Amino acid sequence: GARQVTHDGVGAENPTAAPDGWIVYHSGNPARPGIWKVRPDGSESRFLVPDPTLCPETSPDGRHVAYVVPALPGPEAILRVVRTEDGSPTSFEVRLPVPFATDLVVGRPRWKPDGSGLAFVTMDGRGRLGISVQDFDPRPGAPDTAATRKPLAGFLDEGRLETFALSPDGRRVAFSVLEQRSELYLLEETIHDEAISARKVARVLELDLVSSGGKVAQTGRPMAIANLGKENLFLDRTGARKNLDRSQLAFLCVPILYDGKMVGVLSAD
């Protein structure tokens, strides 16, 4: 059966296993956030890279870990590689422009099956997300391999590439595309329970209602949060802001009134 490996209590995620038994993962523990490695029995926990970091990925031979320094906010994300043994950096670094804010991870990496390169999420000049691939040279002081970078897949006009995987032989790539719709629905007055009406509209729109049940839905009064990073009651149920710096976001939620009755809510960051 399953057994607990980590005990940091906060946000252990994106685990990736090395052939020699190490498990590399990201920890959100505010005491020391970043990338860690641990044995399957929970022993020998060791710190590798301090935050900000996302999406650690161990190389096929277990000797290296690729990870993303996210744009929080900023003009670019950075893909880097460190040594699994001690977290020391390699010369590999890819700077990826992020011209506008996105809740998806630009730079999310996957190793080629033979460890000779990395595939990763990139954004083109038109803001489309796709997958590019670039050689990796593990030698100390190795030259920049940017000249080997080439597009691999994605860069679609409709939908946004979210995550991907390479086949074991390296000949195929599978990727998922996130399609989003923004629609406004009005519930008819035949639904007499106004609180239920508001919650149904909120679910259809995938909006965040602050606190259990939604204060705006319950009171019918607008709400503004100047700094989401300081608001413990903000739930982010959709997970849309998981990879964003909430201290840089404000939140506004207003009731939707129809014929003197509240039938829904509408929010924006």
Side-chain angles (χ1 to χ4, degrees):
R3 66 178 184 276
Q4 186 171 346
V5 176
T6 63
H7 298 273
D8 62 0
V10 182
E13 58 185 5
N14 295 122
T16 175
D20 60 0
W22 285 107
I23 298 173
V24 178
Y25 69 99
H26 176 267
S27 171
N29 191 326
R32 204 174 187 188
I35 297 175
W36 292 72
K37 68 176 183 178
V38 66
R39 292 295 186 183
D41 62 0
S43 65
E44 300 184 54
S45 179
R46 299 179 186 176
F47 186 69
L48 294 179
V49 186
D51 260 354
T53 62
L54 287 174
C55 303
E57 184 81 5
T58 307
S59 62
D61 62 7
R63 298 176 61 185
H64 297 92
V65 177
Y67 69 94
V68 182
V69 178
L72 291 176
E76 62 183 11
I78 306 173
L79 175 61
R80 290 177 174 155
V81 176
V82 298
R83 296 174 180 86
T84 311
E85 181 180 6
D86 56 8
S88 60
T90 68
S91 59
F92 185 88
E93 181 176 283
V94 180
R95 293 182 175 268
L96 302 167
V98 185
F100 53 83
T102 176
D103 54 344
L104 303 180
V105 181
V106 175
R108 180 189 296 273
R110 297 286 186 267
W111 288 91
K112 294 176 66 173
D114 61 2
S116 65
L118 281 156
F120 45 89
V121 176
T122 59
M123 183 180 289
D124 66 12
R126 296 170 56 186
R128 301 177 305 175
L129 292 170
I131 305 165
S132 295
V133 63
Q134 181 173 324
D135 290 350
F136 170 70
D137 189 339
R139 297 175 300 172
D144 187 4
T145 60
T148 67
R149 189 185 312 166
K150 58 184 178 181
L152 187 63
F155 304 106
L156 305 174
D157 291 323
E158 296 184 2
R160 297 187 298 166
L161 185 143
E162 183 179 25
T163 189
F164 70 100
L166 302 178
S167 64
D169 61 7
R171 299 176 60 186
R172 296 177 176 84
V173 57
F175 60 89
S176 63
V177 175
L178 179 66
E179 295 184 354
Q180 292 182 317
R181 295 175 56 190
S182 297
E183 304 287 352
L184 182 64
Y185 293 83
L186 180 65
L187 298 182
E188 299 296 335
E189 290 185 74
T190 52
I191 300 178
H192 299 293
D193 187 333
E194 296 176 11
I196 293 178
S197 307
R199 286 196 291 271
K200 286 188 176 181
V201 172
R203 282 201 297 270
V204 171
L205 294 174
E206 293 188 326
L207 299 177
D208 287 288
L209 301 181
V210 182
S211 84
S212 59
K215 288 186 177 179
V216 175
Q218 292 174 347
T219 66
R221 297 178 180 178
M223 172 175 289
I225 301 175
N227 187 332
L228 288 183
K230 297 181 179 180
E231 178 52 71
N232 295 327
L233 293 178
F234 189 79
L235 301 179
D236 191 22
R237 289 173 175 170
T238 66
R241 305 161 188 85
K242 179 180 179 181
N243 298 321
L244 298 179
D245 183 0
R246 293 192 188 181
S247 67
Q248 301 297 314
L249 297 178
F251 178 80
L252 176 66
C253 187
V254 298
I256 299 174
L257 302 177
Y258 177 72
D259 197 21
K261 296 181 179 180
M262 187 182 69
V263 295
V265 295
L266 186 63
S267 71
D269 293 352

CSV table of all heavy atoms in Angstrom, one decimal, residues 71-73 227-229 241-249:
chain,number,residue,atom,x,y,z
A,71,ALA,N,8.4,33.0,-14.3
A,71,ALA,CA,8.2,34.4,-14.4
A,71,ALA,C,7.1,34.8,-13.3
A,71,ALA,O,6.0,34.5,-13.5
A,71,ALA,CB,7.8,34.8,-15.8
A,72,LEU,N,7.5,35.5,-12.2
A,72,LEU,CA,6.6,35.8,-11.1
A,72,LEU,C,6.6,37.2,-10.6
A,72,LEU,O,7.0,37.5,-9.5
A,72,LEU,CB,7.0,34.9,-9.9
A,72,LEU,CG,6.7,33.4,-10.1
A,72,LEU,CD1,7.2,32.6,-8.9
A,72,LEU,CD2,5.2,33.1,-10.3
A,73,PRO,N,6.1,38.2,-11.3
A,73,PRO,CA,5.9,38.2,-12.7
A,73,PRO,C,7.2,38.6,-13.3
A,73,PRO,O,8.2,39.0,-12.6
A,73,PRO,CB,4.8,39.3,-12.9
A,73,PRO,CG,5.1,40.3,-11.8
A,73,PRO,CD,5.6,39.4,-10.6
A,227,ASN,N,-4.7,42.6,-2.2
A,227,ASN,CA,-3.5,41.8,-2.3
A,227,ASN,C,-3.9,40.3,-2.0
A,227,ASN,O,-4.1,40.0,-0.9
A,227,ASN,CB,-2.4,42.3,-1.4
A,227,ASN,CG,-1.1,41.6,-1.6
A,227,ASN,OD1,-1.1,40.4,-2.0
A,227,ASN,ND2,0.0,42.2,-1.3
A,228,LEU,N,-4.0,39.5,-3.1
A,228,LEU,CA,-4.4,38.1,-2.8
A,228,LEU,C,-3.4,37.3,-2.0
A,228,LEU,O,-3.7,36.4,-1.3
A,228,LEU,CB,-4.6,37.4,-4.2
A,228,LEU,CG,-5.8,37.8,-5.0
A,228,LEU,CD1,-5.9,36.9,-6.2
A,228,LEU,CD2,-7.1,37.6,-4.2
A,229,GLY,N,-2.1,37.8,-2.0
A,229,GLY,CA,-1.1,37.1,-1.2
A,229,GLY,C,-1.3,37.2,0.3
A,229,GLY,O,-0.8,36.4,1.1
A,241,ARG,N,-4.4,30.2,-10.5
A,241,ARG,CA,-3.4,31.1,-10.0
A,241,ARG,C,-2.3,30.3,-9.3
A,241,ARG,O,-1.5,30.9,-8.6
A,241,ARG,CB,-4.0,32.2,-9.1
A,241,ARG,CG,-5.1,32.9,-9.8
A,241,ARG,CD,-6.0,33.7,-8.8
A,241,ARG,NE,-7.1,34.2,-9.4
A,241,ARG,CZ,-8.3,33.6,-9.6
A,241,ARG,NH1,-8.3,32.3,-9.3
A,241,ARG,NH2,-9.3,34.1,-10.2
A,242,LYS,N,-2.2,29.0,-9.4
A,242,LYS,CA,-1.3,28.2,-8.7
A,242,LYS,C,0.1,28.6,-8.9
A,242,LYS,O,1.0,28.6,-8.0
A,242,LYS,CB,-1.5,26.7,-9.0
A,242,LYS,CG,-0.5,25.8,-8.3
A,242,LYS,CD,-0.8,24.3,-8.8
A,242,LYS,CE,0.2,23.4,-8.1
A,242,LYS,NZ,-0.1,22.0,-8.5
A,243,ASN,N,0.5,28.9,-10.1
A,243,ASN,CA,1.9,29.2,-10.5
A,243,ASN,C,2.1,30.7,-10.6
A,243,ASN,O,3.1,31.2,-11.2
A,243,ASN,CB,2.3,28.5,-11.8
A,243,ASN,CG,2.2,27.0,-11.6
A,243,ASN,OD1,2.5,26.5,-10.6
A,243,ASN,ND2,1.7,26.4,-12.7
A,244,LEU,N,1.2,31.6,-10.1
A,244,LEU,CA,1.4,33.0,-10.2
A,244,LEU,C,1.7,33.6,-8.8
A,244,LEU,O,1.4,33.0,-7.8
A,244,LEU,CB,0.1,33.7,-10.7
A,244,LEU,CG,-0.4,33.3,-12.1
A,244,LEU,CD1,-1.7,34.0,-12.5
A,244,LEU,CD2,0.7,33.6,-13.1
A,245,ASP,N,2.3,34.7,-8.8
A,245,ASP,CA,2.7,35.4,-7.5
A,245,ASP,C,1.4,36.2,-7.1
A,245,ASP,O,1.1,37.2,-7.6
A,245,ASP,CB,3.8,36.4,-7.8
A,245,ASP,CG,4.3,37.1,-6.5
A,245,ASP,OD1,3.6,36.9,-5.5
A,245,ASP,OD2,5.2,37.9,-6.6
A,246,ARG,N,0.7,35.7,-6.1
A,246,ARG,CA,-0.6,36.3,-5.7
A,246,ARG,C,-0.4,37.7,-5.1
A,246,ARG,O,-1.3,38.5,-5.1
A,246,ARG,CB,-1.3,35.4,-4.7
A,246,ARG,CG,-1.7,34.1,-5.2
A,246,ARG,CD,-2.6,33.4,-4.3
A,246,ARG,NE,-3.0,32.0,-4.7
A,246,ARG,CZ,-3.8,31.2,-4.0
A,246,ARG,NH1,-4.3,31.6,-2.9
A,246,ARG,NH2,-4.0,30.0,-4.5
A,247,SER,N,0.8,38.0,-4.6
A,247,SER,CA,1.1,39.3,-4.0
A,247,SER,C,1.0,40.4,-5.1
A,247,SER,O,0.9,41.5,-4.8
A,247,SER,CB,2.4,39.3,-3.3
A,247,SER,OG,3.5,39.2,-4.3
A,248,GLN,N,1.0,40.0,-6.4
A,248,GLN,CA,1.0,40.9,-7.5
A,248,GLN,C,-0.5,41.0,-8.1
A,248,GLN,O,-0.7,41.7,-9.1
A,248,GLN,CB,1.9,40.5,-8.6
A,248,GLN,CG,3.4,40.5,-8.1
A,248,GLN,CD,3.9,41.8,-7.7
A,248,GLN,OE1,3.7,42.8,-8.4
A,248,GLN,NE2,4.6,41.8,-6.6
A,249,LEU,N,-1.4,40.3,-7.4
A,249,LEU,CA,-2.8,40.2,-8.0
A,249,LEU,C,-3.8,40.9,-7.0
A,249,LEU,O,-3.6,40.7,-5.8
A,249,LEU,CB,-3.2,38.8,-8.2
A,249,LEU,CG,-2.4,38.0,-9.3
A,249,LEU,CD1,-2.9,36.6,-9.4
A,249,LEU,CD2,-2.5,38.7,-10.7
